[in-house]
Amino acid sequence: MDIPVSGFMYASDGSDPMHSHRMYITSWDGRPVHVHSFSGITSFEDGHSHQYAGTTEPAPTGVPHNHRYFTFTSVDDRHRHQIQGVTGPAIPLPNGGHYHEFNGVTTVEGARPHRHFYSGRTSL
């Protein structure tokens, strides 16, 4: 089954040697797409916590959906962790718009290997 996708491609900043371009999707199956920002602070483990922030991957507007997300934490105690997952479903707001809840566990990193828990809500 083919799903029509439209958007545009642009040159990358060169920071990823495996990719020479990026794609920005503007519609999926004829529907406009949208993203959400997310940020927070991880749980306090092994004597420290980390901050994180990112933007979800695009998803269709106006239909039930989730978003994938991926980012790295701040560097604290000489290491960082990876955060990735899929948000929960859209939670509608009374005046329009919606947000998503997310939660998970970071990758295991550090001189004393450990992980952190995180949770939050995306922007509207």
Side-chain angles (χ1 to χ4, degrees):
M1 177 169 124
D2 291 336
I3 297 175
V5 175
S6 62
F8 57 90
M9 298 177 92
Y10 59 96
S12 73
D13 61 6
S15 62
D16 185 348
M18 299 300 291
H19 294 92
S20 61
H21 56 273
R22 302 209 185 264
M23 181 171 171
Y24 184 83
I25 298 172
T26 57
S27 73
W28 182 272
D29 200 17
R31 296 182 179 274
V33 295
H34 67 280
V35 297
H36 299 270
S37 61
F38 64 94
S39 63
I41 299 174
T42 66
S43 62
F44 188 82
E45 310 292 338
D46 195 38
H48 66 278
S49 60
H50 297 266
Q51 296 179 12
Y52 61 89
T55 303
T56 65
E57 290 187 355
T61 301
V63 296
H65 65 279
N66 303 75
H67 294 265
R68 293 189 324 174
Y69 61 89
F70 174 88
T71 194
F72 286 98
T73 66
S74 57
V75 175
D76 294 281
D77 198 28
R78 298 188 317 270
H79 69 277
R80 68 180 183 174
H81 299 265
Q82 181 177 307
I83 288 177
Q84 70 177 3
V86 178
T87 67
I91 300 171
L93 294 168
N95 296 332
H98 67 276
Y99 66 92
H100 300 264
E101 294 180 339
F102 62 91
N103 64 70
V105 180
T106 67
T107 55
V108 175
E109 307 291 343
R112 290 181 305 278
H114 65 281
R115 60 184 171 187
H116 298 265
F117 298 93
Y118 64 89
S119 65
R121 294 179 173 179
T122 65
S123 65
L124 306 180

